[in-house]
């Protein structure tokens, strides 16, 4: 399985209303120092409806300024549609972080 496919398969497990970080995904798939590559894989996500890349934020809870599927406003909108509060481009990780 390719690196990108491992990223996509992991992300499919994240439930609505929760978020994960790039680093968490990298760690979970056995590549703990590959957070940047996770971002690159998500930017090329061929099935954004199936692989919910909008549920990925940085380690501070910040949304992706270059969200590939409509920009930061679209990512915020998708998250809000799942009940996640977004304020000033950030998500409260204490409240919304998913722990497997």
């Amino acid at each position: 399985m390719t690196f990108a496919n491992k990223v996509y398969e992991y992300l499919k497990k994240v439930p609505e209303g929760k978020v994960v970080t790039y680093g968490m995904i990298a760690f979970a798939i056995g590549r703990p120092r590959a957070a940047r590559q996770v971002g690159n894989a998500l930017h090329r996500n061929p099935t954004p409806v199936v692989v919910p890349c909008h549920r990925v934020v940085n380690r501070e809870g910040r949304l992706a300024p270059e969200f590939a599927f409509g920009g930061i406003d679209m990512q915020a909108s998708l998250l809000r549609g799942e009940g996640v509060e977004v304020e000033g481009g950030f998500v409260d990780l204490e409240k919304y972080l998913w722990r497997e």
Side-chain angles (χ1 to χ4, degrees):
M1 183 178 295
T2 68
F3 177 86
N5 285 336
K6 288 178 184 178
V7 169
Y8 304 150
E9 289 305 310
Y10 176 83
L11 194 48
K12 287 178 188 177
K13 299 180 203 175
V14 179
E16 279 190 28
K18 293 294 181 180
V19 298
V20 292
T21 68
Y22 299 98
M24 288 173 67
I25 296 172
F27 185 83
I29 65 169
R31 297 280 306 276
R33 301 177 64 85
R36 195 170 297 221
Q37 287 105 322
V38 169
N40 289 334
L42 295 176
H43 196 73
R44 297 185 316 271
N45 178 2
T47 55
V49 173
V50 177
V51 179
C53 54
H54 64 281
R55 295 182 188 148
V56 183
V57 297
N58 79 3
R59 63 190 161 115
E60 299 166 340
R62 184 178 1 184
L63 304 187
E66 299 297 323
F67 182 65
F69 306 100
I72 195 168
D73 292 335
M74 178 58 77
Q75 184 180 13
S77 177
L78 290 167
L79 288 170
R80 286 182 181 121
E82 295 181 355
V84 176
E85 297 171 19
V86 178
E87 290 191 30
F90 286 83
V91 168
D92 181 352
L93 293 179
E94 293 286 323
K95 189 172 184 179
Y96 296 106
L97 189 66
W98 180 62
R99 289 177 172 79
E100 194 172 11

